[in-house]
Amino acid sequence: MEALTAVAVLFGAFFVLLAVGVPISVGLGVASFLTALVFLRWDDATYVIGQQMNVGIESFSLLAVPLFIFAGNIMNNGGIARRLVDLALVLAGRIPGALAHTNVVGNMLFGALSGSAVAAAAAIGGTLHQRQKEEGYDPAFGTAVNIASASTGLLIPPTTASIVYSTVAGGVSVSALFMAGYVPGILMGIVVMVIAYLFTRRNRYPTTRSITPGGALKVFVQAIPSLLLIVVVVGGIVAGVFTATEGAGAAVLYCLVLSLIYRSMTWRDFKEVVTRTVVATGVVMFLIAASSGMSWVMAYTGIPAAITDALLSVADSKALILLLMVLVLLVVGTFMDITPAILIFTPIFLPIATELGMHPVHFGMVLILAMCIGTMTPPVGSVLFVATGVSGVTIEQVVPRLVPYFVGLVLLLLAITYIPALSLGIPGAMGLLGD
């Protein structure tokens, strides 16, 4: 009964606050405090929620979040996107509809470097949009490809989504999460490319002109310094040379040096990058603090255990319970960004997943992929709005073109959910799962 009351107050207050336009982070904090007041005295509720918000961000590993945000912003202004687009053209230029496939490969490369779906959609989509238009591509089609593939960087490491999940899930290995993201992230890109290929064949979009071996080598050499960032950061973290936080610091330093070499960022650009980083860090950290208060309230009132019991009583099949969880996550992703969704729903669903024998790393990939799909769907799809803003295509024009990609990615999500080896194969082979 206590858990039912807590659910009603906590989520009722939260969704009412969202409906009237209160920011998610503020809604989380207020709803948590109101729920605590139902079970505790005013002084106790104030002290505990404040303490838990403070404890929630007292984590050395969370320092990686602002540092990776900083590195991503530097890359977005540092001339790296153009070199990655050139490399993607070399890799995908001979396939019909080459610019669409270039967009996918470019998003996978840039997203893996920046760890930001929004940055990838803006940088790669902005670089390719005019060229696609000149070669006769339907702008809505090109925008849909950009939207569907931009989130691959949330899976392919290094990525802040895995770091946030690691913290909320109770110290799940960041190295294991990074390695687990490769196969789902690459498969996500392949699914988008296959669907795009079917459309490009029907519309007879062209390949790009062939490039000489010497030209291809030159493009590859120019892209090597950017690609080495993945080797330095991910390789260093997995090899135990440095922690995720230290790796994020190395990424910032590397990107700054690269920007100086490319001479592509002025002092004014640098100040704007710092400002954007500070604002984004403040938003993310307050979200984490507020969600920590919410997590404590849920644990104190027994909400996760109650939800686990309810789900296990409704369905006696592991496959059915997993399907229900996936459907809930897909719905959540349509109206909530990835960071708050991870912060809110990890404490709720991770106990259920582990009760069913699901490895926390595997569940993390399912959760992040479901939220990746959410970034491309209205009404709150961040990538959807950024990509349409870059291309000038309306949401009404692009949403019908997104439906095939949505279906394909949902099928991929189900495959990732029911085939653990797709997520756990690489980290298991590297001995990172600890079991």
Side-chain angles (χ1 to χ4, degrees):
M1 188 64 182
E2 184 176 275
L4 186 61
T5 302
V7 167
V9 176
L10 182 63
F11 291 103
F14 177 61
F15 287 116
V16 167
L17 290 168
L18 286 188
V20 299
V22 174
I24 289 177
S25 53
V26 177
L28 286 174
V30 173
S32 302
F33 180 67
L34 291 176
T35 307
L37 280 178
V38 175
F39 302 96
L40 302 171
R41 296 181 306 170
W42 174 276
D43 291 348
D44 293 336
T46 303
Y47 173 78
V48 170
I49 296 300
Q51 181 192 51
Q52 291 301 317
M53 291 179 69
N54 182 62
V55 169
I57 55 176
E58 277 189 342
S59 170
F60 178 73
S61 61
L62 282 179
L63 283 175
V65 174
L67 289 172
F68 274 124
I69 292 173
F70 192 19
N73 285 333
I74 294 171
M75 280 185 274
N76 211 19
N77 281 72
I80 294 174
R82 181 176 58 80
R83 288 167 176 82
L84 294 179
V85 166
D86 290 342
L87 176 61
L89 272 171
V90 171
L91 297 174
R94 302 300 298 273
I95 308 174
L99 291 181
H101 303 298
T102 298
N103 198 330
V104 178
V105 176
N107 275 335
M108 292 172 71
L109 293 172
F110 189 82
L113 292 171
S114 68
S116 170
V118 170
I124 305 301
T127 303
L128 285 172
H129 170 67
Q130 186 58 38
R131 184 165 179 177
Q132 289 178 343
K133 191 174 179 181
E134 291 171 355
E135 294 196 12
Y137 284 72
D138 177 8
F141 165 75
T143 303
V145 172
N146 188 33
I147 293 168
S149 60
S151 296
T152 52
L154 297 176
L155 286 162
I156 302 174
T159 164
T160 56
S162 292
I163 294 171
V164 172
Y165 171 77
S166 170
T167 303
V168 181
V172 177
S173 169
V174 173
S175 297
L177 289 167
F178 276 8
M179 291 298 100
Y182 274 113
V183 172
I186 292 171
L187 287 177
M188 185 178 178
I190 291 173
V191 167
V192 175
M193 290 181 73
V194 169
I195 296 171
Y197 177 79
L198 297 176
F199 282 101
T200 55
R201 289 278 294 189
R202 187 177 69 184
N203 292 284
R204 298 185 178 179
Y205 288 130
T207 60
T208 59
R209 64 181 183 275
S210 60
I211 186 170
T212 64
L217 180 61
K218 181 180 178 181
V219 168
F220 181 73
V221 169
Q222 289 177 339
I224 283 177
S226 301
L227 296 175
L228 280 177
L229 176 62
I230 299 176
V231 178
V232 171
V233 175
V234 178
I237 292 172
V238 172
V241 177
F242 39 63
T243 65
T245 303
E246 293 163 346
V252 171
L253 181 60
Y254 190 94
C255 291
L256 283 172
V257 171
L258 214 56
S259 295
L260 291 174
I261 293 173
Y262 291 158
R263 297 182 180 179
S264 53
M265 188 166 62
T266 64
W267 176 246
R268 182 177 180 180
D269 293 334
F270 179 74
K271 289 192 290 185
E272 290 176 357
V273 163
V274 172
T275 301
R276 289 202 306 270
T277 301
V278 170
V279 171
T281 299
V283 171
V284 172
M285 287 303 174
F286 189 66
L287 267 172
I288 294 173
S291 71
S292 298
M294 189 178 198
S295 297
W296 182 87
V297 168
M298 288 192 296
Y300 180 78
T301 56
I303 291 176
I307 294 176
T308 301
D309 293 340
L311 267 179
L312 293 176
S313 64
V314 169
D316 55 2
S317 165
K318 174 182 176 180
L320 182 56
I321 296 172
L322 289 176
L323 180 61
L324 291 173
M325 287 171 55
V326 166
L327 292 175
V328 171
L329 292 174
L330 285 172
V331 172
V332 167
T334 64
F335 64 87
M336 190 173 291
D337 205 5
I338 185 167
T339 300
I342 290 173
L343 294 170
I344 294 171
F345 289 94
T346 297
I348 294 175
F349 284 138
L350 182 57
I352 300 174
T354 53
E355 179 78 14
L356 297 172
M358 199 175 194
H359 196 284
V361 171
H362 179 201
F363 174 74
M365 293 302 104
V366 172
L367 173 60
I368 294 172
L369 178 54
M371 294 305 106
C372 286
I373 296 173
T375 65
M376 60 183 275
T377 56
V380 191
S382 54
V383 172
L384 173 68
F385 288 103
V386 169
T388 52
V390 168
S391 66
V393 176
T394 65
I395 292 176
E396 291 77 12
Q397 290 173 313
V398 78
V399 165
R401 301 298 186 94
L402 281 172
V403 172
Y405 300 100
F406 181 80
V407 173
L409 292 176
V410 168
L411 292 176
L412 173 63
L413 174 61
L414 293 174
I416 298 298
T417 301
Y418 292 112
I419 308 176
L422 294 176
S423 299
L424 302 181
I426 294 178
M430 298 178 69
L432 298 173
L433 296 180
D435 55 5

